[in-house]
Amino acid sequence: MPHYTKFSLRVLIFFVVLLPVLSSCGGGGKLGGTNKSYEIGEYHRAIAQFNNAYKREKNRYTKGELAFYLGDCYQHINNPRKAAGFFSKSVRYKYEEAPVLLYMADAYLASGKYNEALAAYTEYLGKNTLDVRARNGVASCKMAMSDTLVTRYEIEKVKALSNTRASDFSPGYGSTDYDMVYFSSMRTEKKARKRSNITGQGGSNIYMVKVDAKGKWTEAEKLDETINTEFDEGASTLSSDGKELYFTRCKYDNEKPNSSSIYKAGRSGGRWTEPQEIVVGDTVMAAHPALSNDGKTLYFVSDMPGGIGGLDIWKVEGSGDGTWGQPINMGNVINTPGDEMFPYVRADGTLYFSSDAQVGYGGLDIYKVGKDKNGKIRVINLGKPINSEADDFGIVFKGKAEEGLFSSSRGSSKGIDNIWSFILPKLEFSMKGEVSNQNDGSKVSDAYMRLIGTDGTNAKISIREDGTFASKLEPNNDYVFMVAAKGYFNKKEKFSTLELNANKVFDFKVELMPMADAIVLKNIYFEEGKTLLNNESKVELDRLVEILETNASVQLEIGSHTCNEGDETSSIILSQKRAQVVLDYMVGKGIPTQRLTAKGYGDTTPFVVDRNTAGAYDFLRKGDVLTKEYLGKLKGGNLKKATNI
């Protein structure tokens, strides 16, 4: 990465803490000329110098100090595996002038070595119990090892944009058709400048690619010298109309640490005008501009006083005359003691950013700002596969669509960034099933189905000759369908695709009841001589209510029979009361009274076993009449079952 972005921006705050350590440590004199390279952020060059000193050094404490600076240099040029190795050596040599355990834990986390990172964070917290970064580090390790944030996004490296061995990063769309992309690159050309002493790569410039008439990306074209200079340019954003370009420019020399500023250029006659520096408050360093869709708010990154720590995300409001108000820090929910960078504002106003100290998978992760159910601001990790143990940053969306581009150093042992695409595939839902006769399982082919959805769906679904049906469905929808066929009671089913986060095929077995069969209630039990419905009976009555609701033309007689419960008169009275209790229950469920009649038969009209009842009880046959004499021949459990039919 270039030195005005995620690495060397840290140096502006890093040396406030570490420079006194460097000058006062016992081995400071032996480091000699490496001090200057490190101080001005030339990490690639400093590595060679520190390495030479490390190999010659005999003093264990000074060797630990050199190992620390080597680890820090490797961390800055995005090589966390080597950084972790040198930090661990620094710990072994008991170097204590800096929180080496914390840096080692961060490097292990960014290397995907979660067990080692967890152990280091835990040890560090033993002496620094309130350290927010370490506490988030522990949570990060546990989250990464449990892998609870895997999403349905699909990602792919965009080879047309990242086709060199240098870093390509911070993409941004240059048109509302999304057929033009601006991005930053450290690629070198035939007349290349010398490689950077900071990263070992080329200098950073802003490039542009388009989609040609054949739908393919054109060759990357570097913006003209109005934008790209002898300094480093990158991390850009365009206004919603594409007429204004905001970008970061990092000026440097060989005598002091680098700094960066935000510049703005307009587009006129197909060319960019001379950029003007954007002044945001009293800050001396600003980078990574992100403009809101209405152009009224500018988000940026800075280490100015008044922040939470490290690099913070700030915002300024435009006044309408080209000037900007005073910077406002985005607060400690978004900003941490670590670094927050690469803000981006989506078309719907959602703020995205990257952080190396929020709870994440390691390195920089991408987050969005949302709200919880109580309306409080919360930070949401985008999860895998967009995030990884490497650096993931610089995300952009195609408007409101769940697709776009982002940068990542995953898969590179040298910390090279590439541009990746992402897309959230549309969820696919469908239904299928078959319609059959509930008695014998035969297929019902002359049925029809009506499907209704809360999105306005109202469709007739064909039933095939073999009784099967199928239809596509939409996500985030409640559905109900009804199946009807001549000679059968209608059948209704409800289902939903709401809140489903995986593709699904709903499979239905629709069994229709022939109208020729009486509706026989099962499990309507009463205690001897009683008329009180139990819960099991209510479940069966609810099933009957559903049938009647679906078949509005059906009228029902509720016939109640008794057996061996008093004389003829009392048994008729008891059975009539029971039938009335059932009727009242169904009326209470919304069935009109005029569709129901209640008739008590006592034991004067014995129940005749029908096909359904015979199928439910293996000791009965169709046509059996449950008289007192018949029941007297039954014993034990069979008698109890038959008595309760």
Side-chain angles (χ1 to χ4, degrees), residues 386-435:
I386 288 181
N387 286 320
S388 67
E389 71 275 8
D391 281 331
D392 307 291
F393 60 100
I395 195 168
V396 290
F397 285 82
K398 287 185 176 180
K400 295 182 179 181
E402 288 296 326
E403 62 177 306
L405 302 168
F406 71 103
S407 320
S408 179
S409 63
R410 68 189 68 192
S412 172
S413 61
K414 297 181 179 180
I416 301 299
D417 300 309
N418 290 291
I419 295 175
W420 295 68
S421 66
F422 68 91
I423 186 170
L424 186 66
K426 183 179 179 181
L427 286 169
E428 295 183 356
F429 300 112
S430 63
M431 62 183 293
K432 67 175 184 176
E434 60 181 18
V435 183

Short mmCIF file of all heavy atoms in Angstrom, two decimals, residues 386-435:
data_model
loop_
_atom_site.label_atom_id
_atom_site.label_comp_id
_atom_site.label_asym_id
_atom_site.label_seq_id
_atom_site.Cartn_x
_atom_site.Cartn_y
_atom_site.Cartn_z
N ILE A 386 -16.12 -11.40 2.25
CA ILE A 386 -15.59 -10.06 1.97
C ILE A 386 -14.41 -9.77 2.88
O ILE A 386 -13.39 -9.23 2.45
CB ILE A 386 -16.70 -9.01 2.11
CG1 ILE A 386 -17.68 -9.13 0.93
CG2 ILE A 386 -16.12 -7.60 2.16
CD1 ILE A 386 -18.81 -8.13 0.95
N ASN A 387 -14.51 -10.12 4.14
CA ASN A 387 -13.40 -9.93 5.07
C ASN A 387 -12.60 -11.22 5.23
O ASN A 387 -13.11 -12.32 5.03
CB ASN A 387 -13.92 -9.47 6.44
CG ASN A 387 -14.37 -8.02 6.41
OD1 ASN A 387 -13.73 -7.18 5.78
ND2 ASN A 387 -15.47 -7.72 7.08
N SER A 388 -11.34 -11.04 5.58
CA SER A 388 -10.42 -12.17 5.74
C SER A 388 -9.40 -11.78 6.81
O SER A 388 -9.47 -10.71 7.40
CB SER A 388 -9.71 -12.47 4.41
OG SER A 388 -8.84 -11.40 4.06
N GLU A 389 -8.41 -12.66 7.04
CA GLU A 389 -7.35 -12.31 7.99
C GLU A 389 -6.40 -11.26 7.42
O GLU A 389 -5.61 -10.67 8.15
CB GLU A 389 -6.56 -13.56 8.40
CG GLU A 389 -5.66 -14.13 7.32
CD GLU A 389 -6.40 -15.07 6.39
OE1 GLU A 389 -7.64 -15.15 6.50
OE2 GLU A 389 -5.75 -15.74 5.57
N ALA A 390 -6.47 -11.02 6.11
CA ALA A 390 -5.62 -10.01 5.46
C ALA A 390 -6.30 -8.64 5.55
O ALA A 390 -7.30 -8.46 6.24
CB ALA A 390 -5.37 -10.41 4.01
N ASP A 391 -5.74 -7.65 4.83
CA ASP A 391 -6.34 -6.32 4.79
C ASP A 391 -7.45 -6.28 3.75
O ASP A 391 -7.23 -6.61 2.58
CB ASP A 391 -5.29 -5.26 4.45
CG ASP A 391 -4.43 -4.91 5.65
OD1 ASP A 391 -4.93 -5.02 6.78
OD2 ASP A 391 -3.26 -4.54 5.46
N ASP A 392 -8.64 -5.86 4.16
CA ASP A 392 -9.79 -5.71 3.27
C ASP A 392 -10.33 -4.30 3.46
O ASP A 392 -10.63 -3.88 4.59
CB ASP A 392 -10.85 -6.76 3.61
CG ASP A 392 -10.28 -8.17 3.61
OD1 ASP A 392 -9.93 -8.66 2.52
OD2 ASP A 392 -10.18 -8.77 4.69
N PHE A 393 -10.47 -3.54 2.37
CA PHE A 393 -10.76 -2.11 2.51
C PHE A 393 -11.22 -1.56 1.17
O PHE A 393 -11.22 -2.24 0.14
CB PHE A 393 -9.51 -1.36 2.97
CG PHE A 393 -8.33 -1.48 2.02
CD1 PHE A 393 -8.03 -0.47 1.13
CD2 PHE A 393 -7.54 -2.62 2.01
CE1 PHE A 393 -6.96 -0.58 0.24
CE2 PHE A 393 -6.47 -2.75 1.14
CZ PHE A 393 -6.18 -1.73 0.25
N GLY A 394 -11.63 -0.28 1.19
CA GLY A 394 -11.95 0.43 -0.04
C GLY A 394 -13.12 -0.14 -0.80
O GLY A 394 -13.06 -0.32 -2.01
N ILE A 395 -14.24 -0.41 -0.13
CA ILE A 395 -15.40 -1.01 -0.78
C ILE A 395 -16.24 0.06 -1.48
O ILE A 395 -16.33 1.20 -1.04
CB ILE A 395 -16.27 -1.77 0.24
CG1 ILE A 395 -17.26 -2.71 -0.47
CG2 ILE A 395 -16.99 -0.82 1.18
CD1 ILE A 395 -17.93 -3.69 0.47
N VAL A 396 -16.86 -0.31 -2.61
CA VAL A 396 -17.82 0.54 -3.32
C VAL A 396 -18.94 -0.35 -3.85
O VAL A 396 -18.71 -1.51 -4.21
CB VAL A 396 -17.19 1.33 -4.49
CG1 VAL A 396 -16.27 2.40 -3.99
CG2 VAL A 396 -16.47 0.41 -5.46
N PHE A 397 -20.15 0.19 -3.89
CA PHE A 397 -21.32 -0.54 -4.36
C PHE A 397 -21.83 0.05 -5.67
O PHE A 397 -21.66 1.23 -5.94
CB PHE A 397 -22.45 -0.47 -3.34
CG PHE A 397 -22.25 -1.35 -2.13
CD1 PHE A 397 -21.44 -0.92 -1.09
CD2 PHE A 397 -22.87 -2.57 -2.03
CE1 PHE A 397 -21.26 -1.70 0.04
CE2 PHE A 397 -22.69 -3.37 -0.91
CZ PHE A 397 -21.89 -2.94 0.13
N LYS A 398 -22.49 -0.79 -6.44
CA LYS A 398 -23.22 -0.31 -7.62
C LYS A 398 -24.58 0.22 -7.15
O LYS A 398 -25.59 -0.49 -7.18
CB LYS A 398 -23.42 -1.45 -8.62
CG LYS A 398 -22.17 -1.86 -9.38
CD LYS A 398 -22.51 -2.91 -10.43
CE LYS A 398 -21.28 -3.26 -11.26
NZ LYS A 398 -21.59 -4.28 -12.29
N GLY A 399 -24.58 1.46 -6.69
CA GLY A 399 -25.82 2.05 -6.22
C GLY A 399 -26.40 1.26 -5.06
O GLY A 399 -25.73 0.95 -4.09
N LYS A 400 -27.67 0.86 -5.19
CA LYS A 400 -28.35 0.12 -4.14
C LYS A 400 -28.26 -1.39 -4.35
O LYS A 400 -28.78 -2.16 -3.53
CB LYS A 400 -29.82 0.55 -4.06
CG LYS A 400 -29.99 2.00 -3.63
CD LYS A 400 -31.46 2.38 -3.52
CE LYS A 400 -31.61 3.84 -3.08
NZ LYS A 400 -33.05 4.23 -2.94
N ALA A 401 -27.62 -1.80 -5.43
CA ALA A 401 -27.47 -3.24 -5.69
C ALA A 401 -26.45 -3.84 -4.73
O ALA A 401 -25.51 -3.17 -4.29
CB ALA A 401 -27.04 -3.48 -7.13
N GLU A 402 -26.62 -5.11 -4.40
CA GLU A 402 -25.69 -5.80 -3.50
C GLU A 402 -24.52 -6.38 -4.30
O GLU A 402 -24.28 -7.59 -4.30
CB GLU A 402 -26.43 -6.89 -2.73
CG GLU A 402 -27.37 -6.36 -1.67
CD GLU A 402 -26.63 -5.60 -0.57
OE1 GLU A 402 -25.49 -5.99 -0.24
OE2 GLU A 402 -27.20 -4.63 -0.05
N GLU A 403 -23.81 -5.52 -4.98
CA GLU A 403 -22.61 -5.91 -5.70
C GLU A 403 -21.72 -4.70 -5.89
O GLU A 403 -22.15 -3.56 -5.78
CB GLU A 403 -22.96 -6.53 -7.05
CG GLU A 403 -23.68 -5.60 -8.02
CD GLU A 403 -23.91 -6.28 -9.37
OE1 GLU A 403 -22.92 -6.76 -9.96
OE2 GLU A 403 -25.06 -6.31 -9.82
N GLY A 404 -20.43 -4.97 -6.13
CA GLY A 404 -19.49 -3.88 -6.29
C GLY A 404 -18.07 -4.37 -6.27
O GLY A 404 -17.78 -5.51 -6.69
N LEU A 405 -17.15 -3.54 -5.76
CA LEU A 405 -15.72 -3.83 -5.77
C LEU A 405 -15.12 -3.51 -4.40
O LEU A 405 -15.66 -2.68 -3.66
CB LEU A 405 -15.01 -2.99 -6.84
CG LEU A 405 -15.49 -3.14 -8.28
CD1 LEU A 405 -14.89 -2.03 -9.16
CD2 LEU A 405 -15.13 -4.50 -8.84
N PHE A 406 -14.01 -4.13 -4.09
CA PHE A 406 -13.25 -3.79 -2.89
C PHE A 406 -11.80 -4.21 -3.08
O PHE A 406 -11.46 -4.90 -4.06
CB PHE A 406 -13.85 -4.44 -1.64
CG PHE A 406 -13.67 -5.93 -1.55
CD1 PHE A 406 -12.72 -6.49 -0.70
CD2 PHE A 406 -14.46 -6.79 -2.30
CE1 PHE A 406 -12.55 -7.86 -0.61
CE2 PHE A 406 -14.31 -8.17 -2.21
CZ PHE A 406 -13.34 -8.70 -1.37
N SER A 407 -10.93 -3.81 -2.16
CA SER A 407 -9.51 -4.13 -2.23
C SER A 407 -9.18 -5.14 -1.14
O SER A 407 -9.75 -5.11 -0.05
CB SER A 407 -8.65 -2.88 -2.01
OG SER A 407 -9.20 -1.76 -2.65
N SER A 408 -8.20 -6.00 -1.43
CA SER A 408 -7.78 -6.98 -0.43
C SER A 408 -6.36 -7.45 -0.72
O SER A 408 -5.97 -7.58 -1.88
CB SER A 408 -8.72 -8.19 -0.41
OG SER A 408 -8.29 -9.15 0.54
N SER A 409 -5.62 -7.73 0.36
CA SER A 409 -4.26 -8.28 0.20
C SER A 409 -4.24 -9.78 0.43
O SER A 409 -3.17 -10.37 0.55
CB SER A 409 -3.31 -7.59 1.19
OG SER A 409 -3.68 -7.86 2.53
N ARG A 410 -5.41 -10.42 0.49
CA ARG A 410 -5.46 -11.85 0.74
C ARG A 410 -4.71 -12.62 -0.34
O ARG A 410 -4.67 -12.23 -1.52
CB ARG A 410 -6.92 -12.33 0.79
CG ARG A 410 -7.65 -12.27 -0.54
CD ARG A 410 -9.13 -12.55 -0.37
NE ARG A 410 -9.77 -11.47 0.37
CZ ARG A 410 -11.01 -11.56 0.87
NH1 ARG A 410 -11.71 -12.67 0.72
NH2 ARG A 410 -11.54 -10.55 1.51
N GLY A 411 -4.08 -13.71 0.07
CA GLY A 411 -3.38 -14.57 -0.87
C GLY A 411 -2.01 -14.07 -1.27
O GLY A 411 -1.35 -14.69 -2.09
N SER A 412 -1.55 -12.95 -0.69
CA SER A 412 -0.24 -12.41 -1.06
C SER A 412 0.67 -12.42 0.16
O SER A 412 0.38 -11.76 1.16
CB SER A 412 -0.38 -10.98 -1.59
OG SER A 412 0.89 -10.39 -1.78
N SER A 413 1.76 -13.14 0.06
CA SER A 413 2.72 -13.17 1.17
C SER A 413 3.50 -11.86 1.27
O SER A 413 4.11 -11.58 2.30
CB SER A 413 3.70 -14.34 0.97
OG SER A 413 4.43 -14.17 -0.24
N LYS A 414 3.47 -11.05 0.22
CA LYS A 414 4.19 -9.78 0.22
C LYS A 414 3.28 -8.58 0.49
O LYS A 414 3.70 -7.44 0.36
CB LYS A 414 4.91 -9.59 -1.12
CG LYS A 414 5.99 -10.64 -1.38
CD LYS A 414 6.68 -10.39 -2.71
CE LYS A 414 7.78 -11.42 -2.96
NZ LYS A 414 8.49 -11.18 -4.24
N GLY A 415 2.02 -8.84 0.81
CA GLY A 415 1.11 -7.75 1.13
C GLY A 415 0.66 -6.96 -0.08
O GLY A 415 0.32 -5.78 0.05
N ILE A 416 0.66 -7.58 -1.26
CA ILE A 416 0.20 -6.89 -2.47
C ILE A 416 -1.33 -6.86 -2.48
O ILE A 416 -1.99 -7.86 -2.27
CB ILE A 416 0.72 -7.61 -3.73
CG1 ILE A 416 2.24 -7.66 -3.72
CG2 ILE A 416 0.21 -6.91 -4.99
CD1 ILE A 416 2.92 -6.33 -3.72
N ASP A 417 -1.88 -5.68 -2.74
CA ASP A 417 -3.33 -5.52 -2.78
C ASP A 417 -3.86 -5.74 -4.20
O ASP A 417 -3.22 -5.34 -5.18
CB ASP A 417 -3.73 -4.12 -2.32
CG ASP A 417 -3.26 -3.83 -0.90
OD1 ASP A 417 -3.55 -4.66 -0.02
OD2 ASP A 417 -2.61 -2.80 -0.69
N ASN A 418 -5.03 -6.34 -4.28
CA ASN A 418 -5.71 -6.53 -5.55
C ASN A 418 -7.15 -6.08 -5.42
O ASN A 418 -7.69 -5.95 -4.32
CB ASN A 418 -5.66 -8.00 -5.98
CG ASN A 418 -4.26 -8.43 -6.40
OD1 ASN A 418 -3.75 -7.99 -7.42
ND2 ASN A 418 -3.63 -9.26 -5.59
N ILE A 419 -7.77 -5.86 -6.57
CA ILE A 419 -9.18 -5.45 -6.59
C ILE A 419 -10.04 -6.68 -6.84
O ILE A 419 -9.79 -7.47 -7.75
CB ILE A 419 -9.42 -4.37 -7.65
CG1 ILE A 419 -8.64 -3.10 -7.26
CG2 ILE A 419 -10.91 -4.06 -7.78
CD1 ILE A 419 -8.71 -2.00 -8.29
N TRP A 420 -11.07 -6.82 -6.02
CA TRP A 420 -11.98 -7.96 -6.08
C TRP A 420 -13.40 -7.45 -6.34
O TRP A 420 -13.75 -6.34 -5.95
CB TRP A 420 -11.96 -8.74 -4.77
CG TRP A 420 -10.64 -9.40 -4.48
CD1 TRP A 420 -9.45 -8.79 -4.18
CD2 TRP A 420 -10.38 -10.79 -4.45
NE1 TRP A 420 -8.47 -9.71 -3.97
CE2 TRP A 420 -9.01 -10.96 -4.11
CE3 TRP A 420 -11.16 -11.93 -4.64
CZ2 TRP A 420 -8.42 -12.22 -4.00
CZ3 TRP A 420 -10.58 -13.18 -4.52
CH2 TRP A 420 -9.23 -13.32 -4.21
N SER A 421 -14.18 -8.29 -6.98
CA SER A 421 -15.61 -7.99 -7.13
C SER A 421 -16.39 -8.81 -6.11
O SER A 421 -15.92 -9.85 -5.64
CB SER A 421 -16.09 -8.33 -8.54
OG SER A 421 -16.02 -9.74 -8.76
N PHE A 422 -17.56 -8.33 -5.76
CA PHE A 422 -18.44 -9.10 -4.89
C PHE A 422 -19.88 -8.95 -5.37
O PHE A 422 -20.24 -7.96 -6.00
CB PHE A 422 -18.32 -8.62 -3.44
CG PHE A 422 -18.87 -7.23 -3.19
CD1 PHE A 422 -20.18 -7.02 -2.82
CD2 PHE A 422 -18.04 -6.12 -3.34
CE1 PHE A 422 -20.68 -5.74 -2.61
CE2 PHE A 422 -18.52 -4.84 -3.13
CZ PHE A 422 -19.85 -4.65 -2.76
N ILE A 423 -20.67 -9.96 -5.10
CA ILE A 423 -22.08 -9.93 -5.46
C ILE A 423 -22.84 -10.83 -4.50
O ILE A 423 -22.32 -11.87 -4.07
CB ILE A 423 -22.32 -10.36 -6.92
CG1 ILE A 423 -23.80 -10.17 -7.30
CG2 ILE A 423 -21.87 -11.81 -7.15
CD1 ILE A 423 -24.06 -10.34 -8.79
N LEU A 424 -24.02 -10.40 -4.12
CA LEU A 424 -24.89 -11.23 -3.29
C LEU A 424 -25.94 -11.83 -4.21
O LEU A 424 -26.86 -11.14 -4.66
CB LEU A 424 -25.56 -10.38 -2.21
CG LEU A 424 -26.40 -11.15 -1.19
CD1 LEU A 424 -25.51 -12.05 -0.34
CD2 LEU A 424 -27.19 -10.20 -0.30
N PRO A 425 -25.80 -13.12 -4.55
CA PRO A 425 -26.75 -13.73 -5.49
C PRO A 425 -28.18 -13.63 -4.95
O PRO A 425 -28.41 -13.74 -3.74
CB PRO A 425 -26.30 -15.19 -5.55
CG PRO A 425 -24.89 -15.19 -5.07
CD PRO A 425 -24.81 -14.09 -4.06
N LYS A 426 -29.11 -13.44 -5.85
CA LYS A 426 -30.50 -13.37 -5.45
C LYS A 426 -30.94 -14.72 -4.90
O LYS A 426 -30.63 -15.77 -5.47
CB LYS A 426 -31.38 -12.99 -6.66
CG LYS A 426 -32.85 -12.82 -6.31
CD LYS A 426 -33.65 -12.43 -7.54
CE LYS A 426 -35.13 -12.28 -7.19
NZ LYS A 426 -35.95 -11.91 -8.38
N LEU A 427 -31.64 -14.68 -3.79
CA LEU A 427 -32.16 -15.92 -3.23
C LEU A 427 -33.19 -16.54 -4.18
O LEU A 427 -33.98 -15.83 -4.80
CB LEU A 427 -32.82 -15.65 -1.87
CG LEU A 427 -31.87 -15.38 -0.71
CD1 LEU A 427 -32.64 -14.86 0.49
CD2 LEU A 427 -31.10 -16.63 -0.34
N GLU A 428 -33.15 -17.84 -4.31
CA GLU A 428 -34.06 -18.55 -5.20
C GLU A 428 -34.99 -19.44 -4.38
O GLU A 428 -34.54 -20.31 -3.64
CB GLU A 428 -33.27 -19.39 -6.21
CG GLU A 428 -32.44 -18.53 -7.16
CD GLU A 428 -31.71 -19.37 -8.20
OE1 GLU A 428 -31.80 -20.63 -8.12
OE2 GLU A 428 -31.09 -18.79 -9.10
N PHE A 429 -36.29 -19.18 -4.53
CA PHE A 429 -37.30 -19.98 -3.84
C PHE A 429 -38.28 -20.54 -4.86
O PHE A 429 -38.58 -19.90 -5.88
CB PHE A 429 -38.07 -19.13 -2.83
CG PHE A 429 -37.19 -18.53 -1.76
CD1 PHE A 429 -36.99 -17.17 -1.69
CD2 PHE A 429 -36.57 -19.33 -0.83
CE1 PHE A 429 -36.19 -16.61 -0.71
CE2 PHE A 429 -35.75 -18.79 0.16
CZ PHE A 429 -35.57 -17.43 0.21
N SER A 430 -38.76 -21.71 -4.59
CA SER A 430 -39.76 -22.32 -5.46
C SER A 430 -40.61 -23.28 -4.64
O SER A 430 -40.28 -23.62 -3.50
CB SER A 430 -39.09 -23.06 -6.63
OG SER A 430 -38.28 -24.13 -6.14
N MET A 431 -41.70 -23.71 -5.24
CA MET A 431 -42.58 -24.69 -4.61
C MET A 431 -42.87 -25.81 -5.59
O MET A 431 -42.87 -25.61 -6.81
CB MET A 431 -43.89 -24.04 -4.15
CG MET A 431 -44.72 -23.44 -5.27
SD MET A 431 -46.22 -22.61 -4.70
CE MET A 431 -47.17 -23.98 -4.05
N LYS A 432 -43.09 -26.98 -5.06
CA LYS A 432 -43.51 -28.11 -5.86
C LYS A 432 -44.37 -29.01 -4.99
O LYS A 432 -44.45 -28.82 -3.76
CB LYS A 432 -42.31 -28.90 -6.38
CG LYS A 432 -41.51 -29.60 -5.30
CD LYS A 432 -40.42 -30.46 -5.90
CE LYS A 432 -39.69 -31.24 -4.79
NZ LYS A 432 -38.68 -32.16 -5.34
N GLY A 433 -45.03 -29.97 -5.61
CA GLY A 433 -45.83 -30.88 -4.80
C GLY A 433 -46.73 -31.72 -5.66
O GLY A 433 -46.65 -31.73 -6.90
N GLU A 434 -47.61 -32.45 -4.99
CA GLU A 434 -48.57 -33.29 -5.68
C GLU A 434 -49.89 -33.27 -4.93
O GLU A 434 -49.92 -33.08 -3.71
CB GLU A 434 -48.06 -34.72 -5.83
CG GLU A 434 -47.77 -35.42 -4.52
CD GLU A 434 -47.25 -36.83 -4.73
OE1 GLU A 434 -46.80 -37.13 -5.85
OE2 GLU A 434 -47.32 -37.63 -3.77
N VAL A 435 -50.97 -33.46 -5.68
CA VAL A 435 -52.32 -33.47 -5.12
C VAL A 435 -52.85 -34.89 -5.20
O VAL A 435 -52.81 -35.53 -6.26
CB VAL A 435 -53.25 -32.50 -5.89
CG1 VAL A 435 -54.62 -32.47 -5.24
CG2 VAL A 435 -52.64 -31.11 -5.93
#
